[in-house]
Amino acid sequence: MSRPRTPGSTHTLTVTYAGGEERRGPVTMGQANMIRCMLRDEPAHINIHDVWPVPAGTRTDSVVEALRSLVVRHEALRTTFPHAPGGTPREQAVASAGRFAVTVLDHAELPDDVLGYAESLARRAREERFHLDRDFPLRIRLLTRAGAPVSVAMAASHAVTDAGALAVLKEEWLALLAGEELGPPASLTPLGLAAEEATPAGLRTSEASLRHWERIIRTGPQAMFAEPGAEGTDVPTPLLTLRSRRAARALARVAARTGALPSTVLLTAWCALVAHRAGQDACVIAAPTSNRYHPRLARSVNTLSQDALLSLDVRVPSFDALLKKAWGAALNAYRHSRFDALRLWEVIDGATYERGSRFARDVVFNDVSTLPPTVASLTADGPRAAPGESGAADRGPDGPELELTWGPAQVLPTRLLTFVHATGPLLHLGMWADPELFGRAEAEGLLTGLVRLLEAAATQDVPLASLTSATGVRPAERGPGWLRVDGSWTSPPLVAATLSRALDGLPVHVTADAPAGSAPTRNALTAYIAAGDTPLTPARAHAALMDALPGRPGVLAPGRYVIVRHPPAEADRTSAWLHRQILGEGTGRQADVT
């Protein structure tokens, strides 16, 4: 019989603190980025959480005192964001004194699956929105058994913390409970980082980052998974966890054979596999933990979650050749991961309208294995492990040779999200793959394919042309109606159907000037629209299609719109449309040619 999951009693401790300096200043670029998301997204999607196990024999007052010490130690935990009602915070305020709450949930007995229970409480705490102007940024639940602390479950505001910050806090909290003395923090405070970002050098860094992003968004594939079934923007996605000693051994052997870092080897293997499965010439991925590569930021308690955007051209003959390119490409992405988020969205929106395709953050690869050791059991935006399991960091060398475990689903605005928790002695990672693109068997095949690729590369270079046979992972099947235009996969019939719906059912025919399979450097699609008596211009047609783009990665707006009055009898033949009288034509992105 399972034990109850409800506390026998609940009470709240109000904890006061005093210490540190009262300060005010501008928000950091990372804070501005996350505040924008917090004001826009559902709290359960943007808040983060963690579970901290309490060492046996720890008293409640010790738990509380350690929490108080962390608050005094780190300015981020004493930070709020004052702003006018309905406005967007532009300033942060650090308090020198204040209070926070610890909710104690006491149980006569706890479930056997204490981690799973604490995880569920932490997730539930994410569902309430943080008030940026007044709330303490940690929502803390202390689980006790007959008064003895067992676990801390918390939700955290993403405006002041990220996965790395929670890992640092967890590590320091455990050290304090063990009686250790902590040296002064060596990393930049949020206000210190904001000041650095405002210097001429910091502003140049931001401008360079925006140019890096714009180049990729204007030239790379706008969506990695532009294919049948890729629809919608927020998809309920189940967690699949891989834990494998086999993979860790193979990863270590590839690193030893090539002289590359294990993290770079894993990134290269993942990019090769994802690009192969997606049928793309480049792998474009977002890496959110990138900003912690700098020593002054490695242990910063702050939100540094700004994506590094990596574009890795996979048109090379072999895995080793790709590995040689990957480190430089990754470092270039990391160097360009600090930017003004509002300016970036202006860049994205401009490129979207001009290119006629919407940039999709399809693939996210978050390697937290190189952060403080306790992060191996942490995922900021998802479960740490399958229910009932402990973190990989606690399992040592006796873990499974290869184990795949399915966990709960959550709604994600991405197609493929991966968190790497540890690379040795187990490779431990969690993956959320869009179930419309990856059935359970295919999702499992993607992870076992990763293991097979590492094992193949452990002894010899692997030709990328052999990835299907080496990994068992097959490229997406798009069918004869799909072709690559302007670096992106698209379906002219799908474009025509989408544009027709956007124009209230007007007949539309879309054709490509280039043969299927080619990769022209310009947008080679032309849309023929029979407008009848409807007043229509290319600009109006383009605007209508752009409004219909979200959630349709296979739709690329034509580079040219041709408006006629009536459709030809043979409406599926381009040559028949060419004989219609043209009422107007143009790109739709500038003054129309009539």
Side-chain angles (χ1 to χ4, degrees):
M1 180 180 296
S2 62
R3 296 177 180 176
R5 285 177 171 254
T6 55
S9 65
T10 301
H11 65 279
T12 299
L13 301 175
T14 299
V15 185
T16 60
Y17 65 86
E21 181 184 355
E22 185 174 330
R23 302 206 291 159
R24 296 176 78 97
V27 297
T28 68
M29 293 179 182
Q31 287 173 331
N33 182 41
M34 296 317 304
I35 287 170
R36 177 183 179 276
C37 295
M38 291 177 72
L39 295 176
R40 179 195 63 192
D41 297 346
E42 290 298 316
H45 297 171
I46 192 62
N47 292 337
I48 59 178
H49 74 279
D50 197 9
V51 174
W52 297 355
V54 179
T58 303
R59 296 167 54 89
T60 297
D61 57 356
S62 298
V63 170
V64 170
E65 189 55 40
L67 291 169
R68 191 196 329 260
S69 297
L70 291 179
V71 173
V72 173
R73 177 178 173 83
H74 294 292
E75 288 189 358
L77 301 184
R78 297 182 275 118
T79 294
T80 53
F81 301 90
H83 61 283
T88 300
R90 295 283 186 265
E91 186 181 43
Q92 57 182 311
V94 179
S96 60
R99 64 185 63 189
F100 62 94
V102 176
T103 301
V104 181
L105 308 177
D106 193 39
H107 305 71
E109 290 186 88
L110 283 168
D112 295 332
D113 178 13
V114 176
L115 176 63
Y117 175 46
E119 173 81 23
S120 68
L121 292 175
R123 281 187 166 279
R124 200 177 309 158
R126 286 173 62 156
E127 296 173 0
E128 182 181 348
R129 195 174 298 277
F130 282 92
H131 297 96
L132 294 166
D133 59 339
R134 61 181 185 272
D135 283 356
F136 182 70
L138 302 180
R139 201 169 284 143
I140 304 168
R141 308 286 187 268
L142 175 61
L143 281 64
T144 62
R145 182 193 293 112
V150 174
S151 185
V152 168
M154 70 171 65
S157 167
H158 217 332
V160 297
T161 59
D162 57 16
L166 288 183
V168 171
L169 290 172
K170 181 178 185 179
E171 185 180 76
E172 293 185 349
W173 182 73
L174 290 171
L176 289 168
L177 292 180
E180 297 179 20
E181 292 287 336
L182 300 179
S187 294
L188 282 174
T189 64
L191 282 172
L193 178 58
E196 182 178 280
E197 290 173 345
T199 64
L203 295 175
R204 287 194 298 271
T205 296
S206 177
E207 290 298 319
S209 297
L210 293 175
R211 291 193 297 271
H212 169 84
W213 275 74
E214 184 170 17
R215 178 184 60 79
I216 295 173
I217 290 170
R218 287 187 178 276
T219 61
Q222 286 286 72
M224 286 299 294
F225 295 110
E227 59 189 69
E231 294 185 0
T233 53
D234 293 304
V235 184
T237 306
L239 165 67
L240 179 59
T241 299
L242 167 71
R243 298 173 54 255
S244 174
R245 292 175 62 196
R246 273 176 52 190
R249 289 196 300 267
L251 178 60
R253 291 172 66 190
V254 180
R257 183 180 68 79
T258 61
L261 294 172
S263 58
T264 307
V265 172
L266 185 61
L267 174 65
T268 304
W270 191 241
C271 282
L273 200 61
V274 168
H276 172 70
R277 162 58 183 78
Q280 299 283 16
D281 290 338
C283 181
V284 176
I285 66 171
T289 57
S290 59
N291 280 323
R292 292 186 179 272
Y293 79 98
H294 196 286
R296 289 178 302 159
L297 297 174
R299 297 185 60 82
S300 177
V301 175
N302 189 6
T303 185
L304 302 176
S305 290
Q306 289 189 278
D307 288 344
L309 189 64
L310 168 69
S311 180
L312 182 60
D313 191 331
V314 299
R315 290 173 295 182
V316 293
S318 68
F319 182 85
D320 286 7
L322 188 62
L323 181 60
K324 290 177 181 177
K325 295 176 60 176
W327 169 242
L331 185 60
N332 191 43
Y334 298 160
R335 289 174 53 243
H336 294 106
S337 58
R338 190 187 298 179
F339 45 80
D340 182 328
L342 297 180
R343 291 273 315 279
L344 176 61
W345 277 105
E346 292 173 359
V347 168
I348 292 174
D349 289 343
T352 292
Y353 202 82
E354 293 169 21
R355 195 174 180 192
S357 54
R358 183 168 293 277
F359 173 71
R361 189 174 179 258
D362 269 357
V363 183
V364 180
F365 186 82
N366 209 4
D367 187 348
V368 297
S369 66
T370 58
L371 296 181
T374 50
V375 85
S377 62
L378 169 74
T379 300
D381 298 306
R384 277 152 292 281
E389 295 182 350
S390 62
D394 301 324
R395 289 183 173 266
D398 297 325
E401 284 293 289
L402 194 156
E403 176 186 84
L404 295 172
T405 308
W406 285 97
Q410 60 181 317
V411 175
L412 297 172
T414 186
R415 306 285 178 196
L416 189 64
L417 167 64
T418 306
F419 268 79
V420 180
H421 303 289
T423 56
L426 290 166
L427 177 60
H428 175 203
L429 59 83
M431 180 185 78
W432 293 260
D434 183 348
E436 294 300 320
L437 302 181
F438 298 88
R440 290 213 165 197
E442 189 175 4
E444 293 178 355
L446 191 64
L447 291 187
T448 56
L450 175 66
V451 177
R452 291 175 62 179
L453 176 56
L454 292 173
E455 289 181 327
T459 56
Q460 59 185 350
D461 194 5
V462 178
L464 294 189
S466 70
L467 282 182
T468 297
S469 59
T471 66
V473 175
R474 296 182 176 278
E477 295 182 5
R478 291 184 171 85
W482 289 77
L483 69 159
R484 190 181 291 120
V485 174
D486 191 24
S488 298
W489 281 102
T490 189
S491 164
L494 181 60
V495 174
T498 304
L499 180 56
S500 177
R501 285 195 297 271
L503 296 175
D504 297 323
L506 292 179
V508 175
H509 174 72
V510 175
T511 184
D513 298 335
S518 68
T521 57
R522 62 186 180 89
N523 187 324
L525 296 183
T526 298
Y528 296 88
I529 307 168
D533 295 327
T534 302
L536 184 67
T537 65
R540 290 176 184 171
H542 185 65
L545 183 55
M546 295 305 297
D547 288 342
L549 275 189
R552 295 180 173 87
V555 176
L556 175 69
R560 181 167 166 258
Y561 297 87
V562 177
I563 300 168
V564 303
R565 188 171 300 280
H566 300 297
E570 296 177 287
D572 59 339
R573 292 182 58 232
T574 301
S575 60
W577 287 86
L578 292 174
H579 291 90
R580 301 283 92 184
Q581 181 183 359
I582 296 176
L583 303 179
E585 63 181 311
T587 65
R589 291 124 169 117
Q590 57 192 24
D592 294 337
V593 178
T594 59

